[in-house]
Amino acid sequence: MPDEAAYQVFNYVENSFLHVPVGANGGQEDTCEDICRWICEKLKIRPLVFSLIGLRIHGDAHTHTRFLAGCNRPSTDRKYDFRVRFKIPDLSCLKTLDQSLFNYYYSQLRYDLLQNRIPEINYQKQDHKSRVLGYSVNDMYRKMIEDNVTLDELRRDIDKYIPRKINREYSLFLFNKAHKEIFDKLSSIRNRDHDLNYVKNVYINDIDNIAPGYLYEEYNAEIPYPGGEQSSRTGKCPVKLRFQPYGNTRSSRSTSSIKQDSKRSENEKLVEAEDARDSPGLKVLYSSKWQHVANIDEILSILVEEPERKVNLALEDQADPYCIHFHDQTEMTSFVTCLAGYYRLMCKWTVYLCQEYVSSPSLNRLKELKFHGPIGGKYSTDKIREKNSTPGACIIRQCEENFDTYFVDMLEDAGVIKTYKLIYKCIDDQWHVQRDKETVIPCNSLKEAFSSLNPEITKVYRLPPSDNDNAPNPT
C-alpha cells in the first residue's frame, strides 16, 4: 500500500526510487544491510557479490563519500542510493561474477556520466568532450540492441544520452554538428552483430581508462603536522584522504617499494606526487603533495574515539597509531567502512577491521553460526579432507546464488563427501533440510537440522571459518 512506511532508495537501472518496506528483514529493526539485501533479491543480484555494494545518503555530487555502515539504522525520512561501492581489479570480470550487478554497474556509471559526477572527466578539455560524445554513441547503440529502438526514436530522445553539461555549453551550431556526427556513426554501426555485454564492457572499460579513480573515495580530515614539522608546529593541519586499492599502470614504482617506505620510522614518507597518485594504498594530500601512509594489508586495526570523531590506525611496524580527526560523523563512518570493506575483499574476508565501532551484520551472523561465506564447493571439500578425516566432519557454506540458502558438505563413510541443502525460513524461524529433490525436512533448530542430514551419522563436526582461509572472493 502507498501509505505504508518505506525507505526510499534510488535504483540506477530504473532511474527512480525504490520503496523498500520497513521490516525488510522479517520484523526486527532494519539495518542498511537488510535494505541492500532486499534490493539485491529484487534485482536478482547474487550473495557472491554482496560485499561490493553499499548504501549512500542521496544528495548532490558533494555527498559522494557519505556511505553508511551495514549495521547503521536507515530512516524513512531520508533518501539513499543503492551503489556498487567497491571496485574489483578487472571490471570486465564483473559480468562473469554476476550478470545483474554488471548491468547495474553500467546503469550507475551511465547515470554518473550524464550527471557530471565523475570528477576525473573534464568537459572543458576538448579530447574529454569528444570521448564523452563517443560514449553517448556507444550508449545509444546499446539501447538499439537491448530494446530494439530505431534511429528516429533515438533522435527524439537524444537529450537522454548526452551529459547535461555538454548540452548546456554547446552552441546551436556545435550541437547540430555533434548531433550529425553521432547519428552518422550510429548509421554506420547499427547493422553490426555485436553482443550486448561486449558493447557494455567497451563503455565500462573506456571510461575506466579515462577515469581510473571512479569509485575511489576522498575525505576531508585533519592530522597532526607530519614529520619534522611536529617539533615546531602544534595542532592539526587540514588534509584530504584517499584510499586507492589498485595501482594505475602509469606508476613507475612497485607496490613492494612503496611498502618499504611505509615501514620506516615515521608515520608516512613523502613520495613523488605522481607516484603517490598512481600507487595503491591510503594516502593524504598535504601541502599540495600526496603522501603514502600504508597499504591495506599493513593496517592491523582501526580504533574510533567518540565523541572526538578521531580514528586511530594501528599500522604494521609502527609504534604509534596514525591519528585522523574528522569534522563529520557520517564521513568518518564512510572512511572506516571503506577501509574495512577493502580489507575483507583484498586480505581476510572474515575480518572486519573496526568491529567495535561498526560491523557487518551478515558477517556477524555467519560467524555466530560457524558458517562459511560463498566459498564454493571445491574449496570446501579440499578443506574438509585437509582438516578432518572423521565421518561427520562438515562445512556449511553460503550459497552463491540465493540468500538464506546454504550447502552442507559432509564427509561420510568410505571418504565420500555428500552435499545437502539447508534453507532458513525467516517467516517461521525454521531450517529446512533438503536431502534430495524429493525430501525436504522442516526443523525447529539448527541442531535438529544437523541430526536430520544423515541419521546414520550421530556426530556432526562443524569446521568453522578461519581468518587464514584463502577462499576465492570477488577480487
Side-chain angles (χ1 to χ4, degrees):
M1 297 292 292
D3 293 335
E4 289 182 349
Y7 308 107
Q8 297 185 69
V9 185
F10 195 78
N11 168 16
Y12 293 100
V13 173
E14 299 295 334
N15 204 23
S16 63
F17 283 93
L18 285 168
H19 296 278
V20 182
V22 171
N25 70 339
Q28 300 178 19
E29 194 171 359
D30 295 314
T31 66
C32 289
E33 273 195 3
D34 293 322
I35 305 307
C36 289
R37 176 184 150 153
W38 188 93
I39 297 172
C40 282
E41 290 183 292
K42 181 178 179 61
L43 300 179
K44 295 181 171 52
I45 294 172
R46 305 160 67 204
L48 177 66
V49 293
F50 186 68
S51 54
L52 297 180
I53 54 94
L55 204 64
R56 188 179 71 177
I57 296 174
H58 181 76
D60 59 28
H62 301 293
T63 63
H64 67 281
T65 58
R66 298 176 72 82
F67 280 91
L68 301 179
C71 61
N72 286 159
R73 307 294 184 185
S75 169
T76 55
D77 297 327
R78 305 199 75 161
K79 294 181 178 180
Y80 304 97
D81 300 323
F82 178 76
R83 301 271 301 179
V84 178
R85 181 184 188 186
F86 297 98
K87 189 174 183 178
I88 62 174
D90 185 356
L91 289 169
S92 62
C93 293
L94 195 55
K95 66 179 182 297
T96 305
L97 288 169
D98 190 286
Q99 181 69 49
S100 297
L101 192 67
F102 174 75
N103 293 335
Y104 192 87
Y105 180 76
Y106 179 91
S107 299
Q108 174 183 309
L109 179 62
R110 177 183 183 273
Y111 179 91
D112 287 346
L113 180 72
L114 293 177
Q115 300 299 320
N116 188 29
R117 295 191 178 183
I118 304 179
E120 289 172 285
I121 295 180
N122 184 353
Y123 294 93
Q124 303 303 317
K125 292 183 178 180
Q126 186 57 44
D127 61 328
H128 279 207
K129 193 176 293 186
S130 298
R131 293 181 73 167
V132 168
L133 288 175
Y135 303 148
S136 298
V137 172
N138 185 299
D139 190 39
M140 285 188 273
Y141 181 48
R142 182 270 313 169
K143 185 70 173 176
M144 293 172 70
I145 298 172
E146 194 166 30
D147 296 326
N148 199 30
V149 301
T150 65
L151 285 176
D152 287 339
E153 289 175 294
L154 289 172
R155 283 192 181 92
R156 287 197 301 268
D157 295 333
I158 190 171
D159 288 347
K160 296 179 180 179
Y161 302 92
I162 297 178
R164 291 186 304 173
K165 192 172 182 67
I166 291 182
N167 265 338
R168 288 197 302 264
E169 294 180 356
Y170 261 38
S171 65
L172 181 62
F173 170 75
L174 288 176
F175 181 81
N176 288 336
K177 184 173 182 290
H179 185 283
K180 182 179 183 305
E181 290 177 359
I182 285 172
F183 283 95
D184 284 348
K185 290 177 182 177
L186 280 174
S187 297
S188 67
I189 64 175
R190 63 176 173 174
N191 293 323
R192 296 182 184 177
D193 187 22
H194 281 137
D195 174 70
L196 178 60
N197 280 340
Y198 170 80
V199 175
K200 288 184 176 182
N201 212 43
V202 168
Y203 183 91
I204 289 171
N205 286 329
D206 278 1
I207 295 179
D208 188 53
N209 287 332
I210 193 175
Y214 179 68
L215 295 190
Y216 297 165
E217 300 167 19
E218 288 189 0
Y219 306 87
N220 294 311
E222 293 180 338
I223 63 171
Y225 281 100
E229 295 187 30
Q230 283 184 320
S231 58
S232 58
R233 305 188 68 171
T234 59
K236 300 183 289 287
C237 60
V239 295
K240 279 189 179 296
L241 290 164
R242 176 186 176 101
F243 178 73
Q244 182 172 321
Y246 318 110
N248 294 338
T249 54
R250 309 188 284 227
S251 181
S252 60
R253 300 182 71 190
S254 67
T255 301
S256 60
S257 65
I258 299 295
K259 186 169 182 175
Q260 290 302 314
D261 280 346
S262 69
K263 288 186 176 181
R264 296 180 189 175
S265 57
E266 299 177 11
N267 271 349
E268 73 285 312
K269 289 293 180 179
L270 185 62
V271 186
E272 290 298 325
E274 190 73 15
D275 282 345
R277 185 163 56 248
D278 294 341
S279 62
L282 175 64
K283 289 159 281 190
V284 295
L285 179 65
Y286 168 69
S287 190
S288 301
K289 290 184 178 180
W290 286 101
Q291 297 180 359
H292 181 266
V293 178
N295 292 327
I296 189 66
D297 60 339
E298 297 169 331
I299 301 176
L300 305 179
S301 66
I302 302 175
L303 178 65
V304 173
E305 295 183 24
E306 294 185 287
E308 295 87 354
R309 295 188 293 275
K310 179 181 177 184
V311 174
N312 297 310
L313 303 180
L315 304 180
E316 186 178 281
D317 294 339
Q318 298 290 336
D320 299 320
Y322 190 88
C323 302
I324 307 166
H325 296 261
F326 288 86
H327 301 288
D328 180 86
Q329 183 85 17
T330 305
E331 193 163 15
M332 178 180 73
T333 299
S334 188
F335 171 75
V336 169
T337 55
C338 174
L339 293 182
Y342 274 115
Y343 190 88
R344 286 189 67 196
L345 290 169
M346 302 175 70
C347 302
K348 296 180 178 181
W349 195 84
T350 57
V351 173
Y352 206 87
L353 279 177
C354 196
Q355 184 73 22
E356 292 183 5
Y357 174 63
V358 289
S359 64
S360 164
S362 59
L363 178 61
N364 290 346
R365 178 160 173 77
L366 287 174
K367 285 187 168 184
E368 178 186 345
L369 296 173
K370 297 181 180 178
F371 287 7
H372 288 67
I375 58 175
K378 184 181 185 307
Y379 182 86
S380 176
T381 55
D382 288 347
K383 180 175 177 178
I384 292 171
R385 295 192 188 281
E386 178 188 349
K387 300 293 184 181
N388 197 321
S389 59
T390 307
C394 71
I395 280 178
I396 307 174
R397 55 185 169 88
Q398 189 178 17
C399 175
E400 297 163 279
E401 301 291 335
N402 302 304
F403 290 93
D404 280 339
T405 301
Y406 306 89
F407 292 110
V408 183
D409 301 314
M410 181 183 290
L411 183 64
E412 301 189 344
D413 292 332
V416 174
I417 293 179
K418 185 174 179 180
T419 299
Y420 303 89
K421 183 181 284 189
L422 198 59
I423 301 172
Y424 178 68
K425 300 290 186 179
C426 181
I427 296 176
D428 52 14
D429 191 26
Q430 280 193 333
W431 294 89
H432 288 206
V433 174
Q434 185 173 330
R435 291 185 188 165
D436 49 52
K437 291 182 179 180
E438 291 76 27
T439 308
V440 178
I441 305 169
C443 302
N444 292 319
S445 68
L446 195 55
K447 182 178 180 180
E448 182 183 344
F450 289 153
S451 300
S452 303
L453 294 172
N454 184 341
E456 295 181 4
I457 295 180
T458 56
K459 289 187 178 181
V460 175
Y461 306 91
R462 203 178 344 165
L463 300 181
S466 165
D467 293 346
N468 296 317
D469 284 342
N470 191 24
N473 59 53
T475 60

